[in-house]
Amino acid sequence: MSTKPTTTDLEWTELDQRAVDTVRVLAMDSVQKVGNGHPGTAMSLAPAAYLLFQKLMRHDPADAKWAGRDRFVLSAGHSSLTLYIQLYLAGYGLELDDLKSFRTWGSKTPGHPEYGHTVGVETTTGPLGQGVANAVGMAMAARYERGLFDPEAAPGTSPFDHTIWVIAGDGCLQEGVAAEASSLAGHQKLGNLVMLWDDNHISIEGDTETAVSEDTLKRYEAYGWHVQRVAQLPNGDLDPVGLAKALKAAQAETERPSFIAARSIIAWPAPNAQNTEAAHGSALGDDEVAATKKVLGFDPEKSFEVSEEVLAHTRAAGDRGRAVRAEWEKSFAEWRAANPERAAAFDRVQAGDLPEGWEKALPCFETGKAVATRAASGKVLQALGAEIPELWGGSADLAGSNNTTIDKTSSFLPAGNPLPEADPYGRTVHYGIREHAMGATMNGIALHGNTRIYGGTFLVFSDYMRPSVRLAALMQLPVTYVWTHDSIGLGEDGPTHQPVEHLASLRAIPGLNIVRPADANETAIAWAEILKRHATKPAPHGLALTRQGVPTYELNPDAAKGGYVLKEAEGGEPQVILIGTGSEVQLAVEAREQLQAQGIPARVVSMPSVEWFEEQDQGYRDSVLPPAVQARVAVEAGIGLTWHRYVGSAGRIVSLEHFGASADAKVLFREFGFTADAVTAAAKESLAAATR
């Protein structure tokens, strides 16, 4: 079916239209073959995705990681075929057989796009709204990267200037994370961000009138976005001319993020399935697929029909990509020649290396002095900030409590912001009270590359950002969460703010490393280890830090192994092992003194990170926790779920299996049984059980 424009500056040929209609056929056939999936949106969005990959985006299929490329985010990840088919047509390495194996075991085309699994996929999407926030983070990272390496360049002239494109659906914009992130993007005036809204009025439960009645364009205008709407063609299809005009206008708008609403008809032009909720998430059926192929001028008896002419036409994207990249590399070489020191820094950052001698800046804290680990973390950040310019971050409006301000004189805020510390390339990010958007934008920042990002809030509010944390773990992204006020030790704010189940539930996320330092020196070691792992063992890390002061012990590099012997037994081999984390390590140390005074040799093991400890070889783990010593006590001011495997059947756990209360921290620890006496009593119970 041809819908060739009559007047336009866009070159849109019969072959372009045939390629778009081929996309629709491939979407139907891929879902029909496996028997499940989401064909409708991939069919209706075909012109938009084709425009981006074949006409507008700066990309090179031969180098999917090229630093100067535009980024494309499919926030509506259920329509994964929208992306997969474009990757196939443009020549990213997917072939027809990959589309034929859609959503099957071992395929390169899983049900939702997965970062690191399929070449050309910039982020894992599926949970709706996450892609919107990821794209906002990418746009933020692009600006910060420009500030690191080419801040004086005029707009649009730097090799670090590029566009972040995102396609979002109705479901994406209903999710709160998208609203948080869109508000942040408008406030930050991210002119390098363009979002196309697939306004198809359909969700799983039918017409979106069941759930939404606001004026979405006015909402985005209120956020501070540049807003456009593209009309349909008379036949109901998306208008490639209008879309191209709007997308180019959006890219030209550099002072605000851009929002384009495109009214589409889901599953267009299927005769019976178009504009139905069934077309959202179900195969169309053999009869409807055949009928739609007839409408499009394809043979209904053939499946996965791609003409050689169409494939040759779309694979020319490779030639265009090489030419665009060669042009970029020329400008990049000119930049390198003019900026040798910055070029050396770029090479270092891109390689994931840290500046030479950076560890000398790490503070060493005086033993014996009581220091809150959140305060120690703040001192580490300020010390390292001067040495590691790519390290940046902030908090969700809790900087004074989280101690996350890396530079008080430099805030990541756009030109025109009235605050005196405002700097488009500033170090300190003010996320506002948007924990979920903070987590999801941090993912986008990490995915963009060439910076190191952290973000803070209270540990209890990690619940607000958990879906983003889970996705960071799924993608193995090197983001760092500074989660403070990590227990009932925060005191009078009471049970709404006191985390109880959070440490155990976060440790349950595969691939997420939780680090709960015992003192200031362990905090410094933890930060150093996290920074070292950025490139070699990329993973998200959550630092759980105290509000209250805790005693400072001698620095021990073995803390980077996740668990180590903090205090050895005296007077013979240990009869009992006391395991502690965070603020409860001091209780284990005090209990050890009591036990030693009673002639019971006791070892104290500090275990800041279970995950790091489990990475160590069996020999090391056995040296810290000798299997022969069955009397063990674990103490942590949270539920005890983590510790059963470490204490065994004879062990005891001093934990908190209920919510907290509003009172002074010392009172709470006493009333809830977190005392040295309680740990000593538990040790004696464990000794008795071990000798039965």
Side-chain angles (χ1 to χ4, degrees):
M1 169 180 281
S2 175
T3 317
K4 184 177 179 180
T6 53
T7 57
T8 181
D9 60 353
L10 171 71
E11 182 183 357
W12 189 264
T13 66
E14 295 280 354
L15 195 51
D16 286 319
Q17 189 62 46
R18 186 66 174 177
V20 166
D21 292 339
T22 298
V23 171
R24 290 168 164 142
V25 167
L26 292 176
M28 289 189 296
D29 284 345
S30 297
V31 175
Q32 195 63 27
K33 184 175 186 298
V34 73
N36 57 79
H38 300 78
T41 302
M43 294 168 68
S44 57
L45 279 179
Y50 181 86
L51 271 173
L52 287 173
F53 277 84
Q54 294 290 328
K55 306 286 186 181
L56 297 176
M57 275 198 338
R58 184 169 75 182
H59 67 114
D60 181 6
D63 188 355
K65 294 296 183 181
W66 162 38
R69 72 193 183 280
D70 287 352
R71 270 62 162 182
F72 173 76
V73 175
L74 182 68
S75 187
H78 57 274
S79 185
S80 55
L81 286 165
T82 294
L83 177 53
Y84 295 151
I85 296 171
Q86 294 305 323
L87 295 177
Y88 157 62
L89 291 175
Y92 273 83
L94 290 183
E95 297 299 345
L96 209 54
D97 283 345
D98 296 307
L99 299 180
K100 292 178 181 178
S101 60
F102 178 54
R103 295 170 73 100
T104 61
W105 175 261
S107 77
K108 297 178 183 178
T109 50
H112 293 82
E114 296 180 21
Y115 171 74
H117 184 81
T118 309
V119 174
V121 172
E122 299 277 9
T123 179
T124 297
T125 54
L128 294 174
Q130 286 285 334
V132 171
N134 292 168
V136 172
M138 290 177 185
M140 292 169 65
R143 191 170 91 195
Y144 190 76
E145 178 190 46
R146 191 190 203 276
L148 283 176
F149 304 119
D150 203 16
E152 299 88 4
T157 65
S158 172
F160 299 98
D161 290 332
H162 51 269
T163 303
I164 314 300
W165 307 89
V166 55
I167 290 179
D170 289 301
C172 294
L173 301 193
Q174 289 177 43
E175 286 287 359
V177 65
E180 290 182 25
S182 297
S183 172
L184 180 62
H187 179 69
Q188 287 289 350
K189 299 182 179 179
L190 299 176
N192 54 352
L193 175 63
V194 178
M195 180 157 66
L196 177 66
W197 172 35
D198 176 32
D199 180 20
N200 66 26
H201 290 208
I202 293 293
S203 64
I204 291 175
E205 293 187 5
D207 195 301
T208 52
E209 288 289 342
T210 59
V212 179
S213 55
E214 75 237 25
D215 187 324
T216 303
L217 273 71
K218 288 183 179 178
R219 177 157 68 96
Y220 273 81
E221 284 179 357
Y223 289 147
W225 289 55
H226 170 242
V227 170
Q228 303 174 81
R229 177 173 280 285
V230 178
Q232 292 169 295
L233 290 170
N235 64 2
D237 196 5
L238 289 179
D239 176 14
V241 178
L243 276 174
K245 182 179 178 181
L247 289 165
K248 289 180 179 179
Q251 194 172 26
E253 169 57 63
T254 59
E255 299 299 319
R256 295 172 291 173
S258 286
F259 182 85
I260 301 168
R263 177 72 173 98
S264 67
I265 296 177
I266 197 167
W268 192 92
N272 303 299
Q274 65 177 275
N275 206 34
T276 66
E277 60 267 29
H280 169 84
S282 302
L284 299 187
D286 291 335
D287 292 343
E288 187 71 1
V289 169
T292 308
K293 287 178 180 178
K294 288 181 181 179
V295 172
L296 293 170
F298 284 71
D299 186 345
E301 299 300 319
K302 293 182 178 179
S303 294
F304 295 94
E305 183 181 353
V306 183
S307 71
E308 292 182 5
E309 186 181 24
V310 163
L311 192 58
H313 179 65
T314 60
R315 291 283 168 93
D319 297 330
R320 293 190 295 274
R322 280 188 293 273
V324 170
R325 183 159 58 92
E327 182 180 349
W328 178 87
E329 286 177 344
K330 181 181 177 182
S331 70
F332 188 62
E334 292 170 354
W335 168 81
R336 293 185 73 93
N339 301 274
E341 290 186 7
R342 287 176 177 169
F346 175 82
D347 292 341
R348 176 187 64 76
V349 170
Q350 191 174 53
D353 297 332
L354 289 160
E356 186 175 350
W358 68 275
E359 285 182 281
K360 295 177 182 177
L362 281 168
C364 182
F365 296 89
E366 180 184 349
T367 59
K369 186 177 180 181
V371 179
T373 55
R374 63 166 176 160
S377 173
K379 292 184 182 300
V380 172
L381 278 173
Q382 290 180 359
L384 293 180
E387 305 296 321
I388 309 172
E390 64 270 27
L391 180 65
W392 63 311
S395 80
D397 199 54
L398 289 167
S401 294
N402 299 149
N403 289 270
T404 50
T405 301
I406 196 168
D407 185 349
K408 293 180 180 179
T409 68
S410 174
S411 288
F412 184 79
L413 289 168
N417 187 286
L419 296 179
E421 67 272 19
D423 180 349
Y425 309 131
R427 298 289 295 277
T428 300
V429 184
H430 304 279
Y431 289 103
I433 306 165
R434 305 182 182 99
E435 289 91 351
H436 199 178
M438 178 176 70
T441 56
M442 287 169 66
N443 289 350
I445 290 168
L447 287 160
H448 181 278
N450 292 341
T451 71
R452 294 168 179 255
I453 190 68
Y454 65 86
T457 187
F458 292 170
L459 179 59
V460 75
F461 298 139
S462 64
D463 284 344
Y464 279 122
M465 55 195 297
R466 189 180 179 94
S468 296
V469 174
R470 182 178 187 272
L471 284 168
L474 183 62
M475 291 187 272
Q476 288 297 276
L477 301 181
V479 297
T480 304
Y481 311 110
V482 181
W483 287 324
T484 70
H485 297 60
D486 68 344
S487 73
I488 56 171
L490 68 87
E492 292 86 351
D493 276 340
T496 61
H497 283 53
Q498 293 166 358
V500 172
E501 75 279 19
H502 295 73
L503 289 167
S505 68
L506 288 165
R507 288 179 182 132
I509 298 177
L512 172 64
N513 296 331
I514 297 299
V515 189
R516 190 171 184 240
D519 68 348
N521 282 325
E522 275 193 16
T523 303
I525 292 171
W527 265 113
E529 180 66 12
I530 289 168
L531 291 169
K532 290 175 185 176
R533 287 168 170 252
H534 181 89
T536 58
K537 296 180 180 179
H541 285 84
L543 282 163
L545 305 173
T546 67
R547 179 197 185 199
Q548 74 276 25
V550 291
T552 303
Y553 303 106
E554 286 190 16
L555 186 147
N556 189 327
D558 281 347
K561 296 179 180 178
Y564 67 103
V565 178
L566 175 67
K567 298 286 184 179
E568 187 53 280
E570 298 176 4
E573 294 296 314
Q575 294 180 21
V576 62
I577 298 173
L578 310 177
I579 307 168
T581 75
S583 54
E584 289 73 71
V585 169
Q586 63 183 304
L587 302 180
V589 171
E590 292 175 24
R592 172 189 171 275
E593 293 174 0
Q594 293 181 7
L595 291 164
Q596 290 285 163
Q598 297 173 37
I600 303 172
R603 169 185 289 186
V604 174
V605 169
S606 177
M607 194 175 290
S609 177
V610 169
E611 295 81 15
W612 290 354
F613 184 69
E614 289 298 324
E615 290 178 9
Q616 309 309 314
D617 61 55
Q618 190 66 51
Y620 176 79
R621 283 182 281 149
D622 286 348
S623 73
V624 175
L625 300 174
V629 184
Q630 296 183 36
R632 301 178 181 187
V633 177
V635 53
E636 185 171 68
I639 64 171
L641 191 62
T642 300
W643 301 107
H644 293 280
R645 61 173 161 164
Y646 291 109
V647 300
S649 59
R652 296 294 183 268
I653 301 171
V654 179
S655 62
L656 188 67
E657 304 297 329
H658 53 79
F659 293 119
S662 179
D664 176 81
K666 291 181 179 179
V667 172
L668 290 174
F669 276 110
R670 183 185 71 237
E671 294 298 322
F672 290 147
F674 287 93
T675 64
D677 289 344
V679 176
T680 299
K684 291 180 178 179
E685 287 182 17
S686 183
L687 278 165
T691 56
R692 286 174 190 160

